[in-house]
Amino acid sequence: MNCEVCQLKELDIEHFEIREVLRCILHTVLFHRALGLVRPKDIDLELFEITYVQCGDVELERKIDEKIDQFIDKVEKHPNKKNQICLSFYEVKNKQATWFTNKVERLYWEQWYINLNVAQHPKGISGKSYASKVVVDPGAESRSARRAALETSLRDVLFQIIRFVNEKKDHIPPIPNLEGVSFPYEITISSSSDSAFGMDMLKRMLQTGHPTMLS
């Protein structure tokens, strides 16, 4: 089985923007890979003039927020690194058990790489001052321009997701007989210097076949 891979456009963001940006991207991908058992819910971003759609599933929202919390924690512990989240879809295959393998195998058929470059600021500059609608300081104009540029880039990422799901369909496996709104998936977090993550991705590629890239 070939694993289709989409490397999403890298985004330069600030710490207080992480949660909204990741929610927007992850929910958008999962909505487009939903199994039809969804209650679509429109979500308006607070920081940007962008609306996206969630599946309306409480458990899915909980899992995404949990992973975002882990991502934020890693960013705080390891600043000044480019960070990446990988959303992988897989199907479960039963294998004949041996001494060295499990009975169940995950065959990855699609992976989405979300690339974020989180800006670091000197202590004393809080995210709240950046998020405030009324900021009286010399840097207000430059931050406004940066926010507008990020909004444009985030829109580009959403259009990139839509193009990918419209163009890449042949690799999608049959709908599994499982409960839930989505194909089986996992969300993995890494940084640019995380060699263990890279080795894990290489291992998956060897298991699932060479990936096809689309950027």
Side-chain angles (χ1 to χ4, degrees):
M1 172 184 291
N2 287 330
C3 180
E4 296 284 354
V5 176
C6 183
Q7 285 279 358
L8 294 173
K9 177 181 179 180
E10 182 177 290
L11 298 176
D12 294 315
I13 68 174
E14 297 197 29
H15 190 281
F16 71 95
E17 297 164 331
I18 293 175
R19 190 173 300 278
E20 271 213 330
V21 168
L22 285 181
R23 277 178 177 169
C24 178
I25 296 174
L26 289 169
H27 277 290
T28 297
V29 173
L30 284 161
F31 176 77
H32 283 286
R33 287 297 183 236
L35 298 175
L37 307 173
V38 299
R39 298 180 177 85
K41 180 171 65 174
D42 289 343
I43 303 295
D44 296 322
L45 294 183
E46 295 182 4
L47 299 176
F48 309 99
E49 294 295 325
I50 292 176
T51 300
Y52 69 96
V53 183
Q54 292 185 0
C55 293
D57 182 79
V58 175
E59 181 63 16
L60 182 67
E61 294 174 19
R62 184 192 66 79
K63 289 181 179 179
I64 288 178
D65 284 343
E66 184 179 87
K67 284 296 181 179
I68 292 175
D69 287 338
Q70 293 176 17
F71 179 86
I72 291 174
D73 182 63
K74 184 159 189 175
V75 168
E76 292 174 347
K77 290 180 178 178
H78 304 281
N80 302 318
K81 292 181 180 178
K82 292 183 179 181
N83 295 274
Q84 186 179 74
I85 282 188
C86 179
L87 170 58
S88 301
F89 293 99
Y90 61 88
E91 61 176 332
V92 177
K93 293 290 186 179
N94 292 322
K95 293 180 61 179
Q96 183 177 357
T98 68
W99 288 103
F100 306 104
T101 61
N102 297 324
K103 291 183 179 180
V104 177
E105 181 183 19
R106 289 184 176 184
L107 299 177
Y108 295 87
W109 53 269
E110 188 171 275
Q111 293 177 324
W112 299 79
Y113 288 92
I114 304 169
N115 302 290
L116 301 181
N117 186 20
V118 182
Q120 301 297 321
H121 295 283
K123 292 183 179 180
I125 300 179
S126 67
K128 291 183 179 180
S129 65
Y130 283 88
S132 176
K133 293 184 178 179
V134 180
V135 181
V136 181
D137 66 72
E141 184 175 347
S142 63
R143 284 198 296 275
S144 177
R146 188 204 64 81
R147 179 75 61 81
L150 175 56
E151 180 173 317
T152 298
S153 294
L154 182 55
R155 290 182 187 275
D156 290 342
V157 168
L158 297 181
F159 283 124
Q160 186 181 358
I161 293 170
I162 294 171
R163 287 196 304 271
F164 185 94
V165 298
N166 286 335
E167 295 172 4
K168 301 291 184 177
K169 299 177 182 179
D170 294 340
H171 67 292
I172 300 176
I175 295 176
N177 295 321
L178 298 173
E179 294 183 358
V181 300
S182 170
F183 285 96
Y185 70 93
E186 68 178 16
I187 301 174
T188 314
I189 301 169
S190 98
S191 65
S192 58
S193 62
D194 194 339
S195 58
F197 182 84
M199 290 300 294
D200 184 54
M201 289 297 102
L202 178 59
K203 182 179 179 182
R204 292 181 190 176
M205 290 178 187
L206 293 174
Q207 291 175 340
T208 59
H210 296 293
T212 301
M213 304 294 292
L214 178 68
S215 57

